[in-house]
Amino acid sequence: MEKVLVTGGAGFIGSNFVRYLYRVRPNWQITVLDALTYAVNKENLKGLDEQRVSLVLGNICDQALVDKLIAETDAVVHFAAESHNDNSLQSPWPFVETNIIGTFRLIEAARKHGKRFHHISTDEVYGDLELSDPQKFTETTAYNPSSPYSSTKAGSDHLVRAWVRSFGLKATLSNCSNNYGPYQHVEKFIPRQVTEVLLGRQPKLYGQGQNVRDWIHTEDHSSAVLTILEKGKIGETYLIGANGEKNNKEVVELILEILGKDSQDYEHVNDRPGHDLRYAIDSTKLRSELGWQPKYTDFRAGLSDTIEWYKQNETWWKPQKAITEAKYQELGR
Ligand code: NAD
Ligand code: DAU
């Protein structure tokens, strides 16, 4: 494989993946197809050699454009999506359009040109678990999405699976848990709380803060995706996770502690409607069949690095901060 098309490669996880690939596969040509939505800061791909990484500004729903780009590539890694649950509760249509119709356009082009396709998805397609449930999600857990966001991701997964079975699309899928790391938009939980504290304000916990997320450093997500792209079996789904279960209250307390503040100095705000209680990933299949291992197994250390990145990159997040908080204020969150 020498030429890869990365959709959504200017976003949080996509740009971290592009930087990772740039470092570990120096002979590969990377083309990023991205609509540069509100979720993107143009600095995300700054500093990369344009001979090796080219950015095409465009929409994955544009069939003629994706057809042309996919004809020219060896493989597609599909990250592009509307990604934020809270936004999907306010305005679901862009989620249906990008996540379902956009994925449809891409897989149509990939099957036409016989290209390798890797679909990026989320653990949220499985719904949620009880706090006391000893089970975790596995590749055979039934789909049961709760939100407009997760239901559109589930829809896109079903399309990819059907295209594999009906048309022989050379696709793999991965469903990952919550990512953290640099370049994540301030609307998301960890960057929101870190930047609130950096601005001298209190972090904001939805409800009682008992909801559990299974945190993974975004670089570990990148290494898992590359492993699946190179060694994964066509038609298979792989769950990606790093045993990082924490409830939201614990994460907020840790952020405050790392920043040298009183760990109880946070506020409770309105809960998210339909808020999933707990996600937890069993990534045995990926580890045992493809030999993948996460590198960031110490959450405190990974979180400290991430906090340091936000401290050092205020000009990156500041322009979006006030706009994002104004949206949250309207929701009482
Ligand atoms: P993000 O919102 O930061 O990035 C999404 C990217 O897609 C942006 O660059 C945006 O401009 C682009 N995009 C959106 N609509 C587009 C369109 N119509 N055409 C072209 N580009 C478009 O999201 P993220 O958190 O980086 O998530 C990336 C992918 O990973 C998504 O598919 C998401 O479902 C999945 N995922 C995210 C997480 C997480 O914790 N954030 C976990 C598991 C899976
Ligand atoms: O599980 C993977 C998913 O993780 C991805 O598919 C999504 O794209 C990604 O956004 C993320 O979804 P969540 O809804 O879990 O992430 P979010 O950062 O929005 O919230 C994480 C948890 O923190 C969730 O329980 C809600 C809570 N929360 C969030 C915000 C923004 C708060 O308590 N306070 C907040 O201010």
Side-chain angles (χ1 to χ4, degrees):
M1 224 171 298
E2 285 178 358
K3 286 180 168 178
V4 182
L5 178 69
V6 182
T7 73
F12 162 50
I13 304 176
S15 66
N16 276 288
F17 178 73
V18 167
R19 286 178 184 278
Y20 177 78
L21 209 54
Y22 184 85
R23 204 171 73 234
V24 302
R25 292 290 177 273
N27 298 325
W28 289 20
Q29 289 289 326
I30 305 164
T31 302
V32 170
L33 170 59
D34 202 297
L36 301 183
T37 66
Y38 82 95
V40 171
N41 183 317
K42 291 196 181 116
E43 303 286 292
N44 290 4
L45 295 172
K46 199 176 164 190
L48 303 180
D49 180 356
E50 288 175 19
Q51 302 289 319
R52 289 185 50 211
V53 180
S54 54
L55 171 65
V56 176
L57 173 58
N59 198 308
I60 57 167
C61 298
D62 179 343
Q63 189 75 68
L65 176 64
V66 303
D67 195 78
K68 174 182 168 293
L69 293 173
I70 290 179
E72 294 165 356
T73 195
D74 297 321
V76 182
V77 184
H78 173 36
F79 289 95
E82 286 293 336
S83 67
H84 194 41
N85 273 300
D86 289 320
N87 292 344
S88 80
L89 292 160
Q90 297 310 113
S91 176
W93 168 244
F95 290 75
V96 174
E97 188 173 38
T98 287
N99 301 357
I100 298 184
I101 297 174
T103 301
F104 165 76
R105 301 280 185 229
L106 291 164
I107 56 180
E108 278 293 85
R111 83 157 160 130
K112 177 175 163 190
H113 297 289
K115 297 298 168 72
R116 176 81 173 85
F117 190 88
H118 181 70
H119 178 64
I120 303 293
S121 193
T122 169
D123 58 359
E124 295 194 13
V125 298
Y126 302 114
D128 59 355
L129 298 160
E130 292 299 326
L131 293 180
S132 58
D133 191 340
Q135 306 292 321
K136 296 182 174 194
F137 298 137
T138 71
E139 286 78 4
T140 56
T141 302
Y143 275 55
N144 187 25
S146 317
S147 73
Y149 162 70
S150 54
S151 59
T152 60
K153 291 298 290 188
S156 68
D157 291 13
H158 289 315
L159 290 177
V160 175
R161 287 166 172 226
W163 261 236
V164 171
R165 175 147 178 180
S166 301
F167 303 124
L169 181 72
K170 293 186 285 181
T172 42
L173 300 90
S174 55
N175 296 74
C176 188
S177 59
N178 285 64
N179 284 219
Y180 71 99
Y183 301 100
Q184 188 170 29
H185 194 279
V186 288
E187 69 190 354
K188 302 295 197 305
F189 178 57
I190 288 179
R192 184 182 187 203
Q193 313 314 333
V194 171
T195 53
E196 284 295 89
V197 180
L198 292 178
L199 291 170
R201 303 195 293 242
Q202 288 181 308
K204 283 140 187 86
L205 270 181
Y206 290 178
Q208 290 310 304
Q210 295 306 311
N211 306 62
V212 171
R213 296 295 181 263
D214 189 352
W215 294 99
I216 181 172
H217 194 281
T218 193
E219 187 167 320
D220 284 331
H221 190 181
S222 293
S223 68
V225 168
L226 182 58
T227 302
I228 299 165
L229 186 66
E230 293 186 322
K231 299 196 221 160
K233 200 169 148 211
I234 299 303
E236 293 291 312
T237 290
Y238 298 89
L239 261 56
I240 306 175
N243 298 328
E245 278 188 74
K246 298 260 176 300
N247 74 34
N248 295 336
K249 189 164 156 293
E250 289 175 277
V251 175
V252 156
E253 288 173 355
L254 195 52
I255 290 170
L256 284 161
E257 192 198 312
I258 292 169
L259 283 165
K261 307 288 181 193
D262 172 0
S263 67
Q264 301 306 303
D265 192 14
Y266 53 79
E267 62 176 310
H268 294 280
V269 294
N270 287 345
D271 208 347
R272 173 186 284 170
H275 195 174
D276 278 342
L277 197 50
R278 172 175 162 245
Y279 307 138
I281 289 271
D282 177 347
S283 58
T284 304
K285 177 177 173 182
L286 175 62
R287 292 170 193 246
S288 62
E289 291 184 13
L290 305 187
W292 173 82
Q293 288 290 337
K295 194 173 104 186
Y296 290 83
T297 47
D298 178 345
F299 180 68
R300 189 195 173 93
L303 184 62
S304 296
D305 289 354
T306 303
I307 291 174
E308 192 54 33
W309 189 87
Y310 281 89
K311 271 172 132 176
Q312 299 300 326
N313 289 279
E314 198 177 293
T315 53
W316 182 90
W317 55 263
K318 256 297 179 47
Q320 282 302 317
K321 184 64 181 168
I323 302 164
T324 305
E325 287 308 318
K327 282 197 216 163
Y328 277 127
Q329 207 166 6
E330 273 179 33
L331 302 171
R333 301 210 275 273

